[in-house]
C-alpha cells in the first residue's frame, strides 16, 4: 500500500504551478465554449429576466477573489524566502499556502463560470465574454512564485 506523499517545498512548487495552469486554462476553455455555442445559435434565451441577478453576482465575485490575495501573497513570500534561505517550510505553512491558492483561484474562476451560465440563460455574448476574460486576468494575480 502506498504511503501518502509528504508535503514539502518541491511538491508545493510543482503542484501549485500545475493547479494554477489548470485553473487558468478553464477560463480559456469556457471562452471557446461560449464562442462555439454562439456560432451554433441552437437556443433562445431561457431566462432573460435573470440577467441583472447574474451580472450582480459576477460583479460581486470579482472583489471576492481580491479579498484573499493579501494573505496568499504573505504566505507565498514567507515560503519563497524560506526556500531561498534553504529552510524547510512546515507542513502547516505549506498547507495554508495551497489552501489560499485553491480558494483564491476558485474565486477568480467564478466570474468565468457565471459568464457561461449567463450566456446559456440570457444569450448575451459580450457580457459573458467580458466576465470570462476578467476571470482569466484575475487568475494572474494568484500566479505561484516560489522560485
Amino acid at each position: 500500500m502506498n504511503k501518502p506523499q509528504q508535503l514539502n517545498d518541491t511538491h508545493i512548487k510543482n503542484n501549485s504551478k500545475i493547479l494554477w495552469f489548470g485553473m487558468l486554462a478553464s477560463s480559456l476553455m469556457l471562452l471557446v465554449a461560449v464562442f462555439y455555442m454562439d456560432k451554433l445559435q441552437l437556443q433562445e434565451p431561457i431566462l432573460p429576466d435573470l440577467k441583472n441577478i447574474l451580472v450582480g453576482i459576477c460583479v460581486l465575485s470579482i472583489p471576492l477573489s481580491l479579498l484573499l490575495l493579501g494573505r496568499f501573497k504573505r504566505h507565498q513570500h514567507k515560503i519563497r524566502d524560506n526556500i531561498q534561505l534553504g529552510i524547510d517550510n512546515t507542513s502547516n505553512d505549506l498547507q495554508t499556502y495551497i489552501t489560499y491558492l485553491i480558494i483564491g483561484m476558485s474565486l477568480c474562476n467564478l466570474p468565468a463560470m457565471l459568464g457561461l451560465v449567463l450566456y446559456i440563460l440570457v444569450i448575451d455574448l459580450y457580457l459573458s465574454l467580458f466576465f470570462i476574460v476578467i476571470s482569466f486576468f484575475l487568475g494572474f494575480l494568484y500566479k505561484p512564485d516560489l522560485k
Side-chain angles (χ1 to χ4, degrees), residues 85-103:
L85 293 172
I87 301 170
D88 287 336
N89 288 291
T90 66
S91 291
N92 190 33
D93 285 340
L94 295 174
Q95 186 61 50
T96 301
Y97 167 76
I98 202 73
T99 300
Y100 280 130
L101 177 65
I102 291 170
I103 292 171

Side-chain angles (χ1 to χ4, degrees), residues 12-61:
I12 288 296
K13 281 171 58 175
N14 295 335
N15 286 347
S16 63
K17 286 180 184 177
I18 292 169
L19 176 68
W20 180 74
F21 281 128
M23 295 289 264
L24 212 55
S26 70
S27 293
L28 294 176
M29 289 186 282
L30 290 174
L31 190 73
V32 170
V34 167
F35 268 125
Y36 184 72
M37 286 188 301
D38 190 60
K39 295 297 177 200
L40 292 177
Q41 294 182 351
L42 295 177
Q43 65 186 28
E44 293 295 319
I46 299 171
L47 297 168
D49 298 336
L50 286 180
K51 180 178 181 176
N52 292 335
I53 294 170
L54 287 170
V55 168
I57 294 170
C58 284
V59 168
L60 289 174
S61 69

Side-chain angles (χ1 to χ4, degrees), residues 66-127:
L66 301 174
L67 191 64
L68 291 178
L69 188 60
R71 287 187 176 193
F72 168 74
K73 290 293 185 183
R74 269 195 310 275
H75 282 282
Q76 179 172 268
H77 290 305
K78 179 181 177 183
I79 290 170
R80 184 181 61 216
D81 291 346
N82 285 346
I83 290 171
Q84 289 174 347
L85 293 172
I87 301 170
D88 287 336
N89 288 291
T90 66
S91 291
N92 190 33
D93 285 340
L94 295 174
Q95 186 61 50
T96 301
Y97 167 76
I98 202 73
T99 300
Y100 280 130
L101 177 65
I102 291 170
I103 292 171
M105 285 298 297
S106 296
L107 289 172
C108 289
N109 211 25
L110 188 59
M113 293 296 177
L114 292 173
L116 176 67
V117 171
L118 183 69
Y119 182 79
I120 291 170
L121 295 179
V122 181
I123 314 292
D124 189 333
L125 176 65
Y126 296 112
L127 199 53

